Amino acid sequence: MNDLVRQHTALSDTDLEWLHMLVSEWQLLSDLSFADLVLWVPTLDGTRYVSVAQMRPNTGPTSYQDDMVGHLVPRGRRPLLDAALDEGRIVREGDPEWREEVPVRVESIPVRREGRVLGVIARNTNLLTVRTPSRLELTYLQSASDLAQMIAAGSFPFPGQQVDMDASPRVGDGLMRLDAEGVVTYASPNALSAYHRLGLASDLVGQHLGTTTAELAPSRGPVDEALVKLASGWAPRETEVEGNGGVIQLRAIPLKPKGTRIGSLVLCRDVTELRRRERELITKDATIREIHHRVKNNLQTVAALLRLQARRMDSDQGREALNEAVRRVGSIAIVHETLSQNLDERVEFDEIADRVIAMVAEISPGKVDCRRTGRFGILDAEVATPLSMVLTEILQNALEHAFAPGERGTVEVTAVRGGTGRDDARLMITVQDDGRGLPEGFDPQKAGNLGLQIVRTLVEGELGGSFDMVPGDARGTKVVLDVPVSAPK
């Protein structure tokens, strides 16, 4: 719509915003009318109309099999559009048009904003299946007529009441027509069923909807006056009402076809099962986060016990082995701590990598500068946990073996996402130091120390990736990891 309006018309941005508000609401008019709607706007030179939006009804057959958006028609070809635009009134045709042997009733509704007619809605009703209307259909058509008059008067849509039609109740979900006092004059079968879900034992017709709704909703204090007013249709609002184990969603639409409120439409939808599933998911998410939190706490307890044991060790070799175990446990705890704060089993790994780098760097304070470049991005927990341990082992190995005691240096972790097929399918990681380099004849695939064994097992076994250690670009050592972003099935 934006492109068509700006290319062909003289409408301002505020006018365009009004049309967007109208289009966000006009599924309601289409369903109540059992008709297709096409929004026509006059072009900049005033010689043609351009169709900028189209809506088909959910309640009846369509009149247009083709997409009309973008069509241009000269002024004069459709007299009803000209009359509605020039005179600012709803124009109805006496005899139906025939389109491919289908009779179609055509009406034109001017779209007014602040006294100006911005365009015209062509309402086209397929008459092929017309039959004697029921009470429901008569109520729909009368309500559609009231809304059309409000559009022509510039009082619909309601300013500042942008509606998400995907989340709001629709005509087919349940509809009630109220008089000016808020008393129900008609309730569709779906609407009645929704109120029975709340615990209503009688019919809705003849009852004051606001009072009835407030009585069905449990309350420890006086009757909820705000709910009474909303359910009575005094203002365009949405709410949810819960009672008797059921939940219904309400949307009130005041009807003011001639400027004075004559009643209202209240759309309702039974969302009991939807809310129940949402609560189950929230409970499940909270349980998962609590599990990660407890695992993190348990791992931190294990790390604390290992530290205590290390302090009591007489052997330097044994003490260092326990400290390495503390760091390994700590890297896993960092992942679980991050997962305990998320709603899903995915984590932003850059934060984890930075914390792992800081944790490992503590073994050589003030000597080696550890830093990260590039982005790991968001990873699944199945990848994040083993990758954090791999990163811990590689960094620990670099800090222990690349530099002499007291020697200053740099260790840089670089991450690049990319690959073929699915976007960001692989993660390329390099850990480069500027230390003494690899000993002569060193084979990383056969080295026997525990840290490299852990790296090989996790990278090749759990992550399904590859691992190599090669001489650095200028000096030192470079570790290269190539792992898929998703864990192998």
Side-chain angles (χ1 to χ4, degrees), residues 150-167:
M150 292 170 65
I151 292 172
S155 58
F156 187 84
F158 303 109
Q161 293 291 324
Q162 192 83 21
V163 176
D164 182 1
M165 291 305 298
D166 292 332

Side-chain angles (χ1 to χ4, degrees), residues 266-324:
V266 177
L267 305 180
C268 68
R269 178 169 60 178
D270 185 349
V271 293
T272 304
E273 291 304 312
L274 177 63
R275 297 295 176 259
R276 181 186 62 80
R277 288 195 295 271
E278 287 178 351
R279 288 167 183 166
E280 287 179 350
L281 287 174
I282 291 172
T283 301
K284 179 181 177 182
D285 288 339
T287 301
I288 291 173
R289 289 199 299 273
E290 178 63 20
I291 289 172
H292 284 303
H293 181 70
R294 294 190 181 189
V295 169
K296 182 263 296 184
N297 287 345
N298 290 339
L299 290 171
Q300 288 180 337
T301 301
V302 171
L305 292 173
L306 290 174
R307 284 194 203 94
L308 289 173
Q309 187 64 43
R311 293 190 190 122
R312 294 174 177 270
M313 293 287 293
D314 295 329
S315 166
D316 291 341
Q317 185 177 2
R319 185 183 305 109
E320 182 55 34
L322 288 176
N323 286 331
E324 287 182 5

Side-chain angles (χ1 to χ4, degrees), residues 5-296:
V5 168
R6 289 168 179 155
Q7 179 182 353
H8 294 286
T9 79
L11 296 183
S12 66
D13 288 342
T14 53
D15 293 334
L16 179 57
E17 182 61 29
W18 183 264
L19 296 185
H20 274 293
M21 289 176 57
L22 173 65
V23 169
S24 73
E25 293 269 29
W26 71 344
Q27 180 74 63
L28 176 64
L29 177 63
S30 178
D31 290 345
L32 290 172
S33 304
F34 308 98
D36 289 76
L37 306 178
V38 179
L39 177 57
W40 297 93
V41 180
T43 57
L44 183 62
D45 59 8
T47 62
R48 294 180 297 175
Y49 297 96
V50 58
S51 58
V52 299
Q54 178 178 0
M55 178 58 66
R56 293 183 174 90
N58 293 319
T59 53
T62 183
S63 301
Y64 287 111
Q65 297 298 328
D66 298 327
D67 187 1
M68 296 295 296
V69 175
H71 282 215
L72 290 163
V73 297
R75 187 177 169 88
R77 179 175 295 179
R78 300 193 178 185
L80 270 68
L81 293 182
D82 298 339
L85 182 68
D86 296 339
E87 302 172 21
R89 63 180 180 88
I90 298 175
V91 182
R92 295 184 175 87
E93 190 173 51
D95 297 326
E97 292 183 2
W98 286 84
R99 301 176 186 166
E100 299 179 356
E101 300 184 355
V102 175
V104 178
R105 182 173 62 241
V106 181
E107 302 168 271
S108 293
I109 305 166
V111 178
R112 192 183 303 273
R113 174 182 176 268
E114 296 181 352
R116 295 168 44 245
V117 177
L118 307 182
V120 179
I121 294 176
R123 180 163 58 175
N124 303 269
T125 307
N126 187 325
L127 301 177
L128 195 61
T129 59
V130 168
R131 60 187 186 278
T132 302
S134 64
R135 178 74 186 280
L136 179 145
E137 291 168 327
L138 289 173
T139 302
Y140 277 22
L141 293 172
Q142 180 58 55
S143 302
S145 176
D146 294 335
L147 283 177
Q149 292 182 57
M150 292 170 65
I151 292 172
S155 58
F156 187 84
F158 303 109
Q161 293 291 324
Q162 192 83 21
V163 176
D164 182 1
M165 291 305 298
D166 292 332
S168 295
R170 300 195 177 202
V171 169
D173 295 325
L175 177 142
M176 293 165 283
R177 173 93 186 208
L178 314 184
D179 64 15
E181 302 300 321
V183 176
V184 180
T185 59
Y186 176 79
S188 71
N190 284 347
L192 188 58
S193 296
Y195 267 79
H196 285 167
R197 189 72 176 262
L198 288 182
L200 181 69
S202 59
D203 196 358
L204 273 171
V205 175
Q207 298 200 42
H208 189 278
L209 186 65
T211 303
T212 300
T213 303
E215 290 173 349
L216 292 172
S219 175
R220 296 179 182 177
V223 173
D224 189 340
E225 295 297 335
L227 180 58
V228 171
K229 192 171 183 179
L230 186 149
S232 300
W234 286 94
R237 295 286 187 274
E238 289 192 30
T239 191
E240 286 189 4
V241 180
E242 185 170 358
N244 194 42
V247 184
I248 64 171
Q249 188 178 14
L250 297 178
R251 182 190 176 198
I253 304 167
L255 296 176
K256 304 176 181 179
K258 297 181 179 179
T260 304
R261 182 175 171 276
I262 63 168
S264 58
L265 288 179
V266 177
L267 305 180
C268 68
R269 178 169 60 178
D270 185 349
V271 293
T272 304
E273 291 304 312
L274 177 63
R275 297 295 176 259
R276 181 186 62 80
R277 288 195 295 271
E278 287 178 351
R279 288 167 183 166
E280 287 179 350
L281 287 174
I282 291 172
T283 301
K284 179 181 177 182
D285 288 339
T287 301
I288 291 173
R289 289 199 299 273
E290 178 63 20
I291 289 172
H292 284 303
H293 181 70
R294 294 190 181 189
V295 169
K296 182 263 296 184

Side-chain angles (χ1 to χ4, degrees), residues 432-464:
Q432 169 85 56
D433 66 65
D434 57 0
R436 68 185 69 173
L438 295 172
E440 188 175 350
F442 179 81
D443 184 352
Q445 303 302 327
K446 297 180 180 178
N449 74 65
L450 178 59
L452 290 181
Q453 288 180 19
I454 292 174
V455 170
R456 285 198 300 269
T457 300
L458 293 177
V459 171
E460 298 172 0
E462 289 200 31
L463 295 176

Side-chain angles (χ1 to χ4, degrees), residues 475-486:
R475 56 174 298 187
T477 303
K478 180 165 66 174
V479 178
V480 182
L481 302 174
D482 180 1
V483 298
V485 171
S486 299

